[in-house]
Amino acid sequence: MLFIFTTSFDRRLSESPPRSPRHLYLHFPYCASRCPYCDFFTETPSRHPPASAYAEALLRDLSRHQTSWDTVYFGGGTPSEFPLTELERILQAVAEKIHSKTEWTVEVNPGTFTFDTARLLRQYGVNRLSIGFQSTQDSILKFLGRRHTAADNRKAIRLARHFEFPSLSGDLIYAVRSEEIEKSLGEFLSWNLDHISTYELTIEGSSIWARKCFDPSDEEERALEKMNLIEKTLAIAGYHHYEVSNFSRPGHECRHNINVWKCGEYVGIGAGAAGYEGGRRYRNIASVKEFISRGPLPSYDMGDSLAAETISLVLRLVHGISWSDIPFRNRQALEEKRSLLEEIAAEGYITLDETRLAPTRRGILFLNEIVLRFL
């Protein structure tokens, strides 16, 4: 049955008083080398200004915010590539603004995750590691341009267990033509991770492979077979599929990213960092040198359609979202597209009822096509 928006829904369209975001993202664009598939903003050593200068610029930007953070996420790039003396300055400043229930994630590369790094992160309260394994096969790691090895993967797990990080997440890239996905899945499960992120290899943007028009990813049908295998294997192992690319044991979902998918606001700090404050999305200047000398210089993205933006985020949540959890402006944008939502529901891509919006299995597979209809 189609859900027709009612006056009870309309009454919920009342804007809450604005408050400062309580979610923080810090970007470390430092990488030892650039992976050929990567389209994120990173800089390699030949372009690195002194790490001390970048740390100072991060601290200046961070000092503008006096809130207590509910979630903190250090991403990159490679945060574990940053010199420990400078990383400690950032950790110390953030540690002063967290509380007992803060989720604090740091991304690490198995090849640069050392005993001293692990000890430092735990010392300051980091309670969630996101480890960029990507594969457990040396041939695939080398092909993807990764600098670490399968042995480095196992060493990283041992270090994380030694320092008793409360939550461990691992990244896996699939849909590489020559991979043995069953082998990687088997080893991932042997590590007893709390959270697994699986990303289909896609070649786009300004990546090295995109510029060379080289695409080693699987054909669509084979990629779908691998995705189905991943879902079934992880479900049997006790992981629940809560977001298009993410699987978790109960209580280990990434709260920071859930806030993003629910259209929540967050502060973005660092060169190339994205943020969302005061109803406006922005991206800081993508240059470490300029960030150091001139500050974040954010560019604000007005977007083509708030409804499209909202749909692209909330439909990533496999079990959907309550209408009451969608921020006022975003709910209002969807209300203006009520006839389109009903049409898409009739086609079997989403489900609607009085309290909830959710994708169907078919909707998850065709999410990009759904979003395009809102533009």
Side-chain angles (χ1 to χ4, degrees), residues 125-150:
V126 172
N127 52 25
R128 186 175 185 274
L129 282 186
S130 178
I131 309 176
F133 301 115
Q134 314 309 350
S135 176
T136 65
Q137 302 158 58
D138 281 326
S139 60
I140 298 299
L141 290 170
K142 184 177 181 180
F143 178 70
L144 292 174
R146 306 297 297 185
R147 295 170 64 90
H148 70 276
T149 65

Side-chain angles (χ1 to χ4, degrees), residues 105-237:
T105 303
V106 175
E107 293 181 349
V108 299
N109 183 303
T112 56
F113 183 52
T114 66
F115 184 93
D116 289 339
T117 304
R119 180 175 57 187
L120 191 68
L121 296 180
R122 284 301 287 139
Q123 175 185 333
Y124 282 97
V126 172
N127 52 25
R128 186 175 185 274
L129 282 186
S130 178
I131 309 176
F133 301 115
Q134 314 309 350
S135 176
T136 65
Q137 302 158 58
D138 281 326
S139 60
I140 298 299
L141 290 170
K142 184 177 181 180
F143 178 70
L144 292 174
R146 306 297 297 185
R147 295 170 64 90
H148 70 276
T149 65
D152 291 327
N153 286 345
R154 293 187 286 272
K155 177 184 174 184
I157 284 291
R158 290 195 298 270
L159 275 176
R161 295 299 183 201
H162 176 78
F163 283 98
E164 300 181 340
F165 283 88
S167 193
L168 296 183
S169 178
D171 289 356
L172 172 66
I173 292 177
Y174 72 97
V176 185
R177 286 179 192 167
S178 56
E179 74 186 341
E180 298 175 69
I181 189 64
E182 296 88 348
K183 183 176 180 180
S184 285
L185 277 175
E187 190 153 7
F188 265 57
L189 292 178
S190 75
W191 295 332
N192 196 29
L193 298 167
D194 304 295
H195 185 283
I196 297 175
S197 298
T198 62
Y199 301 109
E200 181 180 348
L201 178 65
T202 54
I203 309 304
E204 57 190 8
S206 60
S207 69
I208 294 171
W209 279 345
R211 295 199 301 269
K212 293 181 176 180
C213 298
F214 175 66
D215 187 351
S217 61
D218 283 321
E219 297 296 329
E220 184 176 337
E221 184 175 346
R222 179 57 179 147
L224 181 58
E225 289 175 0
K226 289 182 178 179
M227 186 181 79
N228 289 334
L229 174 65
I230 289 169
E231 290 180 352
K232 291 177 182 178
T233 302
L234 294 183
I236 292 170

Side-chain angles (χ1 to χ4, degrees), residues 190-348:
S190 75
W191 295 332
N192 196 29
L193 298 167
D194 304 295
H195 185 283
I196 297 175
S197 298
T198 62
Y199 301 109
E200 181 180 348
L201 178 65
T202 54
I203 309 304
E204 57 190 8
S206 60
S207 69
I208 294 171
W209 279 345
R211 295 199 301 269
K212 293 181 176 180
C213 298
F214 175 66
D215 187 351
S217 61
D218 283 321
E219 297 296 329
E220 184 176 337
E221 184 175 346
R222 179 57 179 147
L224 181 58
E225 289 175 0
K226 289 182 178 179
M227 186 181 79
N228 289 334
L229 174 65
I230 289 169
E231 290 180 352
K232 291 177 182 178
T233 302
L234 294 183
I236 292 170
Y239 293 87
H240 73 100
H241 190 189
Y242 74 98
E243 191 270 346
V244 170
S245 301
N246 288 277
F247 302 79
S248 169
R249 296 200 187 279
H252 290 275
E253 301 83 358
C254 181
R255 287 164 42 207
H256 180 87
N257 286 338
I258 286 175
N259 173 68
V260 174
W261 297 319
K262 287 185 174 182
C263 304
E265 297 195 348
Y266 59 99
V267 174
I269 289 179
Y276 184 32
E277 299 180 60
R280 296 197 297 172
R281 296 192 182 275
Y282 61 87
R283 186 173 295 277
N284 293 339
I285 189 167
S287 164
V288 173
K289 182 178 179 180
E290 292 296 312
F291 181 82
I292 289 171
S293 63
R294 303 173 63 193
L297 297 177
S299 298
Y300 289 91
D301 179 13
M302 302 313 293
D304 296 319
S305 166
L306 183 58
E309 173 190 296
T310 303
I311 284 293
S312 71
L313 291 170
V314 301
L315 289 190
R316 294 192 65 86
L317 295 166
V318 173
H319 302 295
I321 186 171
S322 299
W323 291 111
S324 58
D325 286 341
I326 302 176
F328 168 76
R329 292 177 62 252
N330 305 80
R331 294 203 308 270
Q332 195 171 44
L334 292 181
E335 160 68 5
E336 293 169 359
K337 297 284 187 177
R338 70 169 74 184
S339 60
L340 179 56
L341 280 172
E342 292 166 359
E343 180 181 317
I344 292 170
E347 294 168 1

Side-chain angles (χ1 to χ4, degrees), residues 25 27-34 38 40-43 74-82 107-109 146:
Y25 175 79
H27 193 62
F28 293 80
Y30 286 47
C31 279
S33 61
R34 187 167 181 81
C38 180
F40 294 141
F41 167 62
T42 63
E43 292 187 356
F74 283 18
T78 316
S80 58
E81 194 81 28
F82 211 58
E107 293 181 349
V108 299
N109 183 303
R146 306 297 297 185

